[in-house]
Amino acid sequence: MKNKILFLLILSVISGNIMAQDTTNIDSILSVKLDEVAIISKPLINYTKQNKPLSSIDEYLDKSMNVSLVRRGSYAWEPMLNNMSSERLQLTIDVMHIFGACTDKMDPITSYVDVSNLSDVKVSSGQEGASYGPTIGGAIDLIKKKHDYCHIGWLGSVNFGYESNSNLFTAATRVKYSNAKFFVDADFIFRDADNYKAGKRTLIPFSQFQKYNTSLSIGVKINNKNTLTGSFTFDNAVNIGYPALPMDVALARAYIASVQHSASYINSFIDEWTTRVYFNTITHIMDDTKRPIVPIHMDMPGWSTTSGLYSKINGAHKRQKMALTLNAYWNKSKAEMTMYPNDTSRKSMFMYTWPDVHTIYAGVNLANNFSWKPMHTIKYGASIGFHRNFVASEFGLNSMHIFYPTMSAGKNRIIVGFQTAYTFAKNNWEYSIAMAYGERAPSISEAYGFYLFNSFDAYDYIGNPYLKNEKSIELHTALAYKMKKIKWNFGLNYFHILDYIIGIPNTNYIAMTLNANGVKEYQALESVNIVSTECGMEYRPHPSVKTRVALSYNFGRDFNKQNMPLVRPFSFKAGLTYNIKGLEMEMNVEGASKQYAHSAFYGEKAKPAYAIVNFAAGYSIPIKAHQLHFRVGIENMADTYYSTYADWNNIPRKGRNFYLNISYTFDNRMME
Amino acid sequence: MYYLYYFLIQIKLPMKKIIFIAIAMCSIILISCKKETAQQPDELAGLTLLQKMANDTTEIEVYTRSGTLTVGYNDIFFRVKNKLNDEFVSNAVLDWMPIMHMTMMSHAAPKSPITKVAGKEFLYKGFIVFQMPGNDMEKWTLSIDVQTPSITTAVLDTFAVANSTQKRVTSFTGSDSKKYILALVSPENPAVATNDLTLGLFVKETSMSYPAVTDATILFDPRMPDMGNHTSPNNVQPIINTTDNLYHGKVSLSMTGYWKLNFIVKNASDVVLKGEEISPSVESSSLYLELEF
Ligand SMILES: [Cu+2]
């Protein structure tokens, strides 16, 4: 182990020394710049910059090489970063903590907002994301639309989208009025999809969904320094099919509300102080009534409610930049399972699968950025937090006592982390190296889950309240070169994770779910190593032509040299864009090698290699304050039948798909 | 580091905001504490009067927790009143005999001796395992012999015994050709939890005598036949307790609903008297009891 770290250190130092550099801080240790990856809509759904307007957040994120998405159907894909899924990440909406209410991860929080609400997605790798809360793999923050008080007037837009495969119909609209003191901004989006067809015209039943999302923001500029913003989002999805799972979802609903106060230019040290109080509540109701063969009918509703506070102070002084963040929240998560015997005279079978677990977290993070010379920047930071879980349901606690007779209702933890990074930038070169340590508490399922069936390996999972904090030692290095015509970058993230939480079969227990392979109990693996590398290149032979290639190689093994599941195999993306007089055309190829290191040990089935080709063309017609934009495209042109490593139970992805988008924007705003 | 210090000093700024944050923090972190107040135990706490039985000199109040008697194991409580001075008796010696009067024959039922309830002044307790319900034609009677310093008498009355919705008692003929009775004592109110499992095993000596069997081995396997016949984890096999002559173990019930407790009973020389092990081809033991909640 030590040797490996040393080797990587030497490698990074050597590569750093060979190359030289220039300007700009790397704001994120991420080697890929976000604006090329996953920026969403500015000012609205930004059809000019996006290959495919009105595509879901999932599809946007999926364009990135860093973020991958675990797909269980057409809807609500689960983001992964550095080959780690949601329990090892901080997923936030505008830095607000929201927790899905599904015990089977059918509702990652990215499913409770839509592109119409957002302006950007910030991806922070590893401890770079620590200011969002304790994390191992990093943080993904969905940033809602921001408002300045510089524009006066009206902005409005209407968007329609249609996709041939799955008959997906999307409509979105937005109205905004703003002046120097006030704004009001409302948006609405609706999506309706039938079952999609995988390649070779294979119909995938139970892949339909329907949702709408609406949000309203109102802001007031109290004076030159202070603003107050209230924001409310309502998201409602019904009849969502999950073809990779044995159950669907009848309803997934979120109410998300926040009030934010911002003060700017407080004094010479403090540039900005933002404080937000928030509340959100999620209802998730699973549904097996539409499936043809159900051995036993069951209801599985879940609820998650979070109240929280976020406060961040940004300061700067001479060559120093500083950020102090306070994060506090109180979450209540509860999920039930009621099974109805075929003999209706018998009583129903009930249990808590999440026994009304309350989680209280309060933590601070301090990050400092110091450039002693323009080309050298050093960054360091630390965080400490208090984490408490508490089983509020006596019924639930009694049922946990079946497995852990002496466990107490409450459990306190202290979670710490620190990070340090150095960036050297000169001429066209930029090099960075970072080391960090982070911890996380187990998730609700990992600590308190009660017979949660996982269709990936077909085991019933039992939570373990005695788990230690998971710990991670990480090392990042990145190198980038930027010229007018050519850009390239290389990045390596290495994680050595101790007490890695994973389900281990416990043969003393017998599965409850019909046909399950057995029971797994969450346990700590001694250690796991995860490496993700990627490399990107962009070349513009002519101002109107752009080519891009990105490659990614990943590796994940535990201390016994067993492959870890859900690790991205060697994969690539390449694109060619041609731009002329409002017309834009784009051709993409993406694919992956065979999953040579799949984890049979952890129940994973290997995926074969694949490659698909996409094409898109867009045209804009501006007429004074109005703008009309058309976009057409074909995805998976060859109608390839394929699934990627992140497709749950090898569920195949969409086959050939034609799409059409029409957007109309009205903007008569004047700069103040 | 110097700068860090300055930075932190500067943060003391707007007091209102700090108060706002503090209040918000407190409201998030505070959770209400539940306090439970213990109640003073009352002589008849948790008991419901079932029936009063009396003769010229003595009145006996019969209580159970539910106010009824059902097929299976029943805890039964008594208070004895001397009718001559209208006072409860604290030092009576009681003996009892339940008899089922069937059309063709009569028989008794497994029972415990009657003892004084510890910590109570006038309350006595015992249990009876009713193997069958009473009806219009066939009734259970209970006779109680009472001996106090002043009176020696016997009181007799009939009692209604209702059928139980689940099988809480079972009679079987063992491989040794003897007749046995296996009764579920607890859990009386099963919960999704690790429940105390208490069983009584009795052998029929004569139709009027059913002593407890204390040298058997009882193995049990709880199953949910409505859900693929799964079992539950961390069960503790019952073992005999020689003070109450009942078998005590633990049964884990991982969800509500209908549970079948499958049994194998072996005698002192480890010979199976009755019951089969559950396997993919054997869904149920021929010796079982039921729980539904
Ligand atoms: Cu779900």
Side-chain angles (χ1 to χ4, degrees):
Chain A
M1 182 53 243
K2 271 179 190 159
N3 288 341
K4 267 185 199 158
I5 295 183
L6 199 70
F7 170 73
L8 290 167
L9 255 170
I10 292 167
L11 183 81
S12 47
V13 168
I14 292 170
S15 57
N17 284 343
I18 296 170
M19 319 300 179
Q21 284 130 58
D22 154 89
T23 62
T24 62
N25 305 336
I26 294 185
D27 198 37
S28 155
I29 307 175
L30 268 184
S31 56
V32 167
K33 289 293 185 293
L34 277 164
D35 53 8
E36 295 170 2
V37 176
I39 281 207
I40 289 164
S41 76
K42 252 180 200 175
L44 182 60
I45 302 157
N46 194 337
Y47 39 77
T48 50
K49 276 207 174 160
Q50 289 306 331
N51 176 309
K52 186 179 171 194
L54 288 179
S55 60
S56 65
I57 294 173
D58 301 337
E59 288 177 294
Y60 279 107
L61 287 172
D62 209 18
K63 299 253 183 298
S64 151
M65 269 292 185
N66 305 81
V67 180
S68 47
L69 291 125
V70 178
R71 248 178 94 262
R72 297 172 173 87
S74 297
Y75 187 75
W77 303 349
E78 183 196 0
M80 286 184 54
L81 181 60
N82 288 316
N83 303 297
M84 293 181 232
S85 62
S86 46
E87 56 289 310
R88 292 190 171 80
L89 306 178
Q90 279 295 338
L91 299 179
T92 51
I93 297 173
D94 247 2
V95 211
M96 295 186 284
H97 287 88
I98 303 184
F99 298 90
C102 179
T103 51
D104 297 345
K105 295 177 157 194
M106 288 159 133
D107 69 334
I109 63 155
T110 39
S111 67
Y112 291 117
V113 284
D114 211 316
V115 286
S116 49
N117 312 135
L118 301 183
S119 68
D120 203 348
V121 176
K122 181 157 166 66
V123 180
S124 316
S125 181
Q127 293 308 305
E128 190 66 11
S131 68
Y132 298 96
T135 179
I136 299 284
I140 299 176
D141 186 35
L142 306 171
I143 302 173
K144 295 181 82 175
K145 286 175 297 195
K146 295 286 171 250
H147 302 278
D148 54 37
Y149 291 87
C150 306
H151 292 86
I152 300 172
W154 290 87
L155 171 76
S157 75
V158 189
N159 301 259
F160 291 103
Y162 178 76
E163 300 194 16
S164 65
N165 191 339
S166 82
N167 234 344
L168 170 67
F169 175 75
T170 310
T173 181
R174 178 190 186 191
V175 182
K176 179 180 178 178
Y177 173 76
S178 56
N179 65 28
K181 289 269 170 219
F182 170 82
F183 76 81
V184 55
D185 189 351
D187 59 61
F188 176 85
I189 191 164
F190 170 82
R191 297 177 186 275
D192 184 11
D194 296 341
N195 292 329
Y196 74 88
K197 284 196 183 92
K200 311 269 173 277
R201 299 191 183 163
T202 318
L203 186 74
I204 305 298
F206 311 107
S207 60
Q208 80 292 341
F209 69 90
Q210 196 186 90
K211 91 168 255 173
Y212 70 89
N213 172 297
T214 183
S215 87
L216 176 72
S217 296
I218 297 174
V220 184
K221 192 168 181 179
I222 301 164
N223 54 38
N224 274 344
K225 288 186 172 178
N226 292 284
T227 61
L228 203 59
T229 316
S231 174
F232 175 76
T233 304
F234 175 66
D235 190 283
N236 195 76
V238 295
N239 188 22
I240 314 163
Y242 286 83
L245 300 179
M247 278 186 118
D248 303 311
V249 167
L251 174 75
R253 176 180 284 166
Y255 297 89
I256 303 166
S258 66
V259 176
Q260 176 182 315
H261 172 253
S262 288
S264 49
Y265 310 116
I266 294 170
N267 60 29
S268 60
F269 286 96
I270 295 177
D271 295 338
E272 200 176 16
W273 188 348
T274 304
T275 303
R276 185 180 297 132
V277 287
Y278 58 89
F279 174 81
N280 56 71
T281 181
I282 287 176
T283 305
H284 177 85
I285 295 170
M286 290 192 242
D287 177 19
D288 62 3
T289 57
K290 302 214 167 60
R291 297 298 176 109
I293 303 160
V294 178
I296 187 162
H297 166 58
M298 52 182 94
D299 283 341
M300 293 181 72
W303 300 271
S304 165
T305 299
T306 311
S307 339
L309 169 85
Y310 160 78
S311 189
K312 182 172 188 176
I313 302 169
N314 281 312
H317 180 64
K318 290 183 182 162
R319 288 193 295 270
Q320 305 233 32
K321 276 200 269 182
M322 160 88 51
L324 178 66
T325 314
L326 168 73
N327 254 310
Y329 63 80
W330 173 22
N331 169 262
K332 296 190 263 184
S333 291
K334 184 165 88 172
E336 304 173 350
M337 177 146 106
T338 309
M339 285 149 290
Y340 299 94
N342 297 326
D343 177 351
T344 49
S345 67
R346 295 255 173 91
K347 284 184 181 164
S348 60
M349 302 178 252
F350 175 88
M351 59 164 80
Y352 278 118
T353 44
W354 277 349
D356 195 6
V357 182
H358 293 209
T359 305
I360 295 162
Y361 175 78
V364 288
N365 174 273
L366 186 64
N368 192 24
N369 201 325
F370 175 53
S371 298
W372 68 94
K373 273 185 184 169
M375 64 183 79
H376 302 285
T377 305
I378 191 156
K379 206 168 175 179
Y380 49 89
S383 44
I384 183 161
F386 169 75
H387 181 280
R388 175 173 169 78
N389 281 133
F390 179 82
V391 179
S393 154
E394 202 188 316
F395 185 110
L397 184 63
N398 283 336
S399 50
M400 287 301 293
H401 279 159
I402 292 176
F403 290 98
Y404 306 100
T406 56
M407 83 175 251
S408 53
K411 170 100 180 158
N412 298 340
R413 298 165 188 272
I414 298 290
I415 300 171
V416 298
F418 64 85
Q419 73 264 33
T420 170
Y422 165 75
T423 307
F424 179 79
K426 198 175 178 187
N427 303 328
N428 302 318
W429 290 94
E430 187 171 292
Y431 171 71
S432 74
I433 181 162
M435 283 180 81
Y437 171 82
E439 295 182 348
R440 71 160 179 118
S443 69
I444 306 275
S445 290
E446 288 166 343
Y448 302 101
F450 193 70
Y451 285 108
L452 299 177
F453 178 69
N454 182 337
S455 60
F456 191 79
D457 53 10
Y459 272 84
D460 282 339
Y461 277 65
I462 301 292
N464 179 353
Y466 296 115
L467 287 170
K468 287 188 236 166
N469 289 347
E470 191 174 279
K471 298 163 264 288
S472 154
I473 300 159
E474 60 180 76
L475 181 78
H476 302 253
T477 182
L479 179 68
Y481 173 77
K482 209 192 247 176
M483 284 278 282
K484 235 182 194 170
K485 283 190 171 176
I486 195 158
K487 277 194 243 180
W488 65 259
N489 61 57
F490 168 79
L492 183 147
N493 298 339
Y494 169 70
F495 295 85
H496 180 64
I497 304 173
L498 301 160
D499 294 325
Y500 185 95
I501 300 168
I502 198 163
I504 301 291
N506 185 328
T507 48
N508 294 327
Y509 302 149
I510 288 172
M512 179 207 80
T513 306
L514 293 163
N515 305 323
N517 290 333
V519 174
K520 282 188 178 180
E521 188 179 34
Y522 281 104
Q523 293 288 357
L525 283 187
E526 191 180 306
S527 70
V528 165
N529 291 312
I530 294 174
V531 178
S532 64
T533 62
E534 39 138 324
C535 156
M537 211 189 316
E538 188 179 303
Y539 177 55
R540 283 172 176 270
H542 183 267
S544 60
V545 178
K546 189 161 93 177
T547 60
R548 266 195 282 185
V549 180
L551 306 170
S552 161
Y553 172 80
N554 297 269
F555 169 93
R557 269 189 184 178
D558 71 7
F559 69 110
N560 274 331
K561 304 231 184 312
Q562 289 287 355
N563 291 324
M564 299 306 291
L566 290 171
V567 173
R568 184 176 213 141
F570 174 77
S571 51
F572 66 93
K573 284 179 189 182
L576 173 68
T577 314
Y578 180 67
N579 246 310
I580 188 160
K581 289 181 186 162
L583 178 71
E584 186 180 308
M585 285 190 287
E586 185 169 339
M587 184 85 127
N588 282 311
V589 184
E590 59 179 81
S593 74
K594 178 173 167 256
Q595 205 181 8
Y596 39 79
H598 79 281
S599 178
F601 184 76
Y602 290 109
E604 195 172 36
K605 297 148 205 138
K607 275 83 168 179
Y610 76 92
I612 60 161
V613 183
N614 307 315
F615 173 78
Y619 188 60
S620 297
I621 313 168
I623 318 156
K624 288 181 187 168
H626 310 267
Q627 191 174 38
L628 205 55
H629 183 82
F630 299 93
R631 186 122 192 155
V632 292
I634 316 171
E635 290 169 318
N636 191 359
M637 287 172 83
D639 201 28
T640 309
Y641 184 95
Y642 75 108
S643 58
T644 75
Y645 82 101
D647 293 315
W648 200 256
N649 290 332
N650 291 18
I651 176 108
R653 295 213 163 201
K654 256 190 186 178
R656 187 184 299 125
N657 180 32
F658 296 91
Y659 63 86
L660 166 71
N661 280 279
I662 305 169
S663 316
Y664 164 74
T665 308
F666 171 78
D667 188 354
N668 79 347
R669 295 176 304 170
M670 300 288 190
M671 282 294 271
E672 195 200 20
Chain B
M1 272 313 160
Y2 194 56
Y3 167 71
L4 199 118
Y5 169 74
Y6 269 111
F7 179 78
L8 291 173
I9 290 221
Q10 292 298 321
I11 293 171
K12 69 185 177 205
L13 289 155
M15 205 53 210
K16 271 184 196 165
K17 185 142 184 172
I18 288 174
I19 291 169
F20 172 66
I21 293 173
I23 291 171
M25 281 278 287
C26 291
S27 56
I28 289 163
I29 286 169
L30 274 180
I31 35 167
S32 58
C33 317
K34 278 185 212 157
K35 276 183 189 163
E36 278 172 38
T37 45
Q39 270 199 322
Q40 270 302 324
D42 160 32
E43 185 86 1
L44 295 172
L47 298 180
T48 310
L49 182 67
L50 171 70
Q51 199 165 318
K52 287 182 181 174
M53 48 198 293
N55 63 13
D56 296 345
T57 58
T58 310
E59 182 183 73
I60 299 177
E61 298 172 354
V62 184
Y63 295 87
T64 63
R65 289 194 189 90
S66 62
T68 57
L69 294 174
T70 48
V71 170
Y73 174 93
N74 291 264
D75 275 322
I76 303 171
F77 299 84
F78 308 95
R79 281 204 300 193
V80 179
K81 192 189 265 177
N82 182 340
K83 277 173 95 174
L84 307 172
N85 59 12
D86 212 26
E87 275 176 4
F88 287 113
V89 183
S90 65
N91 54 355
V93 176
L94 303 171
D95 193 10
W96 59 350
M97 185 53 122
I99 292 175
M100 176 49 166
H101 302 274
M102 295 174 74
T103 40
M104 304 298 288
M105 59 167 289
S106 306
H107 62 80
K111 62 180 173 65
S112 69
I114 297 177
T115 53
K116 194 77 182 291
V117 177
K120 300 286 168 87
E121 208 178 344
F122 301 111
L123 202 63
Y124 301 82
K125 184 193 167 187
F127 73 76
I128 298 174
V129 176
F130 296 107
Q131 308 97 303
M132 59 183 288
N135 58 41
D136 291 345
M137 307 294 295
E138 304 169 318
K139 287 192 189 328
W140 283 96
T141 59
L142 184 58
S143 67
I144 302 178
D145 296 332
V146 183
Q147 203 178 341
T148 72
S150 50
I151 311 166
T152 302
T153 183
V155 190
L156 178 95
D157 207 343
T158 62
F159 281 80
V161 175
N163 209 347
S164 167
T165 41
Q166 293 98 42
K167 201 182 181 86
R168 294 172 58 231
V169 63
T170 183
S171 313
F172 64 92
T173 308
S175 54
D176 54 3
S177 305
K178 289 183 191 165
K179 286 198 89 176
Y180 292 89
I181 292 169
L182 178 67
L184 183 73
V185 177
S186 75
E188 201 176 3
N189 299 303
V192 180
T194 303
N195 297 267
D196 287 331
L197 175 72
T198 313
L199 298 161
L201 182 65
F202 309 91
V203 62
K204 180 181 176 183
E205 262 180 10
T206 69
S207 59
M208 289 298 147
S209 166
Y210 297 84
V213 180
T214 56
D215 58 358
T217 303
I218 302 180
L219 301 172
F220 85 107
D221 187 355
R223 296 275 171 167
M224 277 204 123
D226 292 326
M227 234 194 128
N229 217 33
H230 70 78
T231 180
S232 68
N234 295 338
N235 293 296
V236 178
Q237 296 300 337
I239 49 168
I240 190 76
N241 177 323
T242 47
T243 47
D244 61 7
N245 285 341
L246 298 173
Y247 293 79
H248 294 261
K250 302 268 185 200
V251 57
S252 302
L253 302 172
S254 49
M255 64 181 88
T256 67
Y258 174 80
W259 288 86
K260 201 174 210 177
L261 306 180
N262 297 286
F263 293 97
I264 298 171
V265 174
K266 295 178 184 172
N267 68 12
S269 29
D270 220 31
V271 174
V272 173
L273 296 174
K274 183 81 174 173
E276 300 80 28
E277 202 170 329
I278 306 303
S279 71
S281 56
V282 181
E283 196 178 293
S284 169
S285 169
S286 57
L287 183 62
Y288 68 91
L289 297 171
E290 297 170 314
L291 287 172
E292 190 172 22
F293 67 111

